[in-house]
Amino acid sequence: MGWNWPWARQNVERKGGSLHGFVALHAQGEAAWTRRDYATLAREGFMRNPTVHRCVRLIAEAAASVPWLLYEEKSELVDHPLLDLLMRPNARATGASFLEILYGHLLMSGNAYVELVEAANTRELHLLRPDQVMVVTDADGWPTALEQRQQERRRRIPMDGEEGALAMHLRLFHPLDDLYGFPPLQAALMALDIHNAAVRWNKALLDNSARPSGALVYAPKEGGNLTEEQYERLKGELEDGYAGAARAGRPMLLEGGLEWKAMGLTPKDMDFVEAKNGASREIALAFGVPPMILGIPGDNTYANYQEANRAFYRMTVLPLVSKTAAELSAFLGPKFGEGLRLSFDHDQIDGLAVEREALWSRIGAADFLTDEEKREAVGYGPRN
């Protein structure tokens, strides 16, 4: 529906004859889509859309809560400076809050930038906001550094060199860009705009008595047209006296020659609720979050909430954590020694507790395995 009041004065078409009136015609125009830069996606998505906000928070918080493990060759290290650095990356952030922001940057922009600051005997990790960073390449097109831009300030951080890399660029797969990642939200950009537009449509209906405004027809018996003063006064009275939810149901007093033609919403026009739910499901699909976890109606892909939660961890959270662990190992491992490898502890993930209990039950019931073989099968090393 495209009916709106007030109609512009110049859009009123007048014809000669004994009866005079007007009608507003609205043509369908090109759809306007949200821009694809980081700031706009963050503002229109994370800050204004509840589905995007919850998807990003859900993934980032779940991934940041996964405990780290450190291995040297095949031996697990319980106490190591690298683990201490990940537990307390800098003086202003703990490990969980640092990783939550890192995953948030990765989900919203497709890129995450980490800077390693070394001074005397201390090391710190800091995150750089994606919209302030540009990848610098050499003459052959290979990335060599990050350039951070803050207002008039420019700062270059090497990604390779004789002294080793001081910056890490973590990015998601982009089929058309060799330097920058592709954010999941950009794949659901149309669904995001539909969802936000449905909310604005619903709010506009509430502001206009939960129905579209009708058409005010002027058809005097004697003929003639409204003067400019009469037109402006009539428009002002409608806006001040009858528009808005607080004035819903107020009776309208019409003078001679005026007739109100009310228009109601058809069932098709009321489909904006289903359109909103459908857009929410597409957004959740782009992020890899089962709609059942978000409470979106109309999705019965999984038998129950527990199964949906396990699928969320297996298909979304763990691949993200595994990718981050591999990148951090390549970036930080050489700074602390040779053969260091970061991993994560599956046994400490609450979302996979049911799978872990089933595995232990199967392994424990296998009489043909020795105790040492059972320990190895569930991921534990031999007894000392």
Side-chain angles (χ1 to χ4, degrees):
M1 297 275 306
W3 302 97
N4 295 293
W5 179 269
W7 293 291
R9 181 70 172 178
Q10 59 270 22
N11 290 341
V12 178
E13 182 180 357
R14 305 184 183 277
K15 295 183 178 180
S18 59
L19 296 179
H20 297 270
F22 63 87
V23 64
L25 298 178
H26 292 257
Q28 183 177 4
E30 182 69 22
W33 304 108
T34 298
R35 293 171 55 188
R36 302 187 178 188
D37 59 279
Y38 173 78
T40 304
L41 290 179
R43 188 178 301 109
E44 296 296 326
F46 186 82
M47 300 173 67
R48 292 182 181 175
N49 188 281
T51 304
V52 176
H53 182 90
R54 186 56 186 148
C55 284
V56 174
R57 288 287 303 275
L58 198 63
I59 298 173
E61 291 176 357
S65 65
V66 177
W68 292 111
L69 294 177
L70 181 63
Y71 292 92
E72 186 175 16
E73 301 300 337
K74 294 184 178 181
S75 302
E76 180 182 349
L77 302 178
V78 179
D79 187 14
H80 195 274
L82 178 53
L83 291 175
D84 296 337
L85 178 62
L86 293 177
M87 286 293 294
R88 188 71 173 179
N90 57 68
R92 297 182 300 171
T94 61
S97 60
F98 177 87
L99 289 173
E100 183 179 341
I101 299 174
L102 183 146
Y103 293 129
H105 286 172
L106 198 60
L107 293 170
M108 292 302 303
S109 73
N111 303 277
Y113 303 97
V114 181
E115 179 185 4
L116 174 64
V117 178
E118 296 180 303
N121 295 326
T122 62
R123 288 189 176 103
E124 290 186 351
L125 295 176
H126 295 271
L127 291 168
L128 308 177
R129 213 171 74 187
D131 60 330
Q132 296 179 347
V133 177
M134 184 181 69
V135 178
V136 180
T137 61
D138 58 15
D140 297 324
W142 296 103
T144 58
L146 300 179
E147 184 176 272
Q148 184 185 28
R149 300 182 177 183
Q150 292 179 322
Q151 297 180 354
E152 301 298 328
R153 182 187 176 191
R154 300 288 186 270
R155 190 167 66 96
R156 182 165 295 193
I157 310 165
M159 297 177 63
D160 57 9
E162 296 179 357
E163 298 181 358
L166 297 179
M168 181 189 75
H169 179 197
L170 182 63
R171 68 188 186 97
L172 300 179
F173 170 68
H174 195 312
L176 300 177
D177 199 317
D178 297 330
L179 298 179
Y180 299 96
F182 185 82
L185 183 56
Q186 191 168 326
L189 192 59
M190 293 184 180
L192 172 66
D193 286 340
I194 291 174
H195 190 285
N196 290 347
V199 174
R200 286 193 291 267
W201 167 265
N202 194 17
K203 177 64 167 61
L205 284 182
L206 294 176
D207 288 343
N208 291 279
S209 305
R211 62 175 181 200
S213 58
L216 190 60
V217 180
Y218 176 60
K221 297 180 181 180
E222 300 82 5
N225 298 322
L226 288 174
T227 64
E228 187 73 24
E229 182 180 355
Q230 290 174 325
Y231 177 85
E232 295 297 333
R233 181 173 66 87
L234 177 61
K235 185 172 66 172
E237 289 179 356
L238 284 175
E239 292 175 347
D240 298 337
Y242 301 99
R247 303 177 181 88
R250 176 178 293 184
M252 181 178 292
L253 179 62
L254 300 178
E255 301 181 15
L258 292 176
E259 182 180 0
W260 178 259
K261 298 291 185 181
M263 293 174 291
L265 287 173
T266 66
K268 182 176 179 60
D269 296 324
M270 295 298 292
D271 279 348
F272 69 87
V273 177
E274 180 54 36
K276 177 183 172 184
N277 292 334
S280 297
R281 286 190 288 272
E282 290 187 14
I283 294 172
L285 176 64
F287 280 102
V289 178
M292 182 180 291
I293 295 180
L294 300 176
I296 300 173
D299 185 272
N300 297 318
T301 304
Y302 300 96
N304 51 52
Y305 182 88
Q306 194 174 62
E307 182 182 342
N309 193 48
R310 289 201 302 271
F312 168 65
Y313 270 91
R314 282 296 179 190
M315 296 188 295
T316 302
V317 176
L318 294 189
L320 183 61
V321 175
S322 179
K323 176 184 178 67
T324 305
E327 294 288 346
L328 287 175
S329 297
F331 176 53
L332 297 176
K335 304 286 185 182
F336 292 88
E338 297 295 333
L340 296 178
R341 175 177 57 88
L342 283 169
S343 184
F344 53 91
D345 193 351
H346 293 77
D347 294 339
Q348 298 297 321
I349 301 176
D350 295 335
L352 301 179
V354 176
E355 291 186 3
R356 183 169 62 252
E357 292 173 2
L359 174 64
W360 287 354
S361 298
R362 292 196 305 269
I363 298 299
D367 297 333
F368 56 89
L369 295 177
T370 65
D371 289 344
E372 294 299 329
E373 289 174 336
K374 291 179 181 180
R375 289 178 60 87
E376 184 179 358
V378 295
Y380 288 94
R383 288 189 178 94
N384 297 327

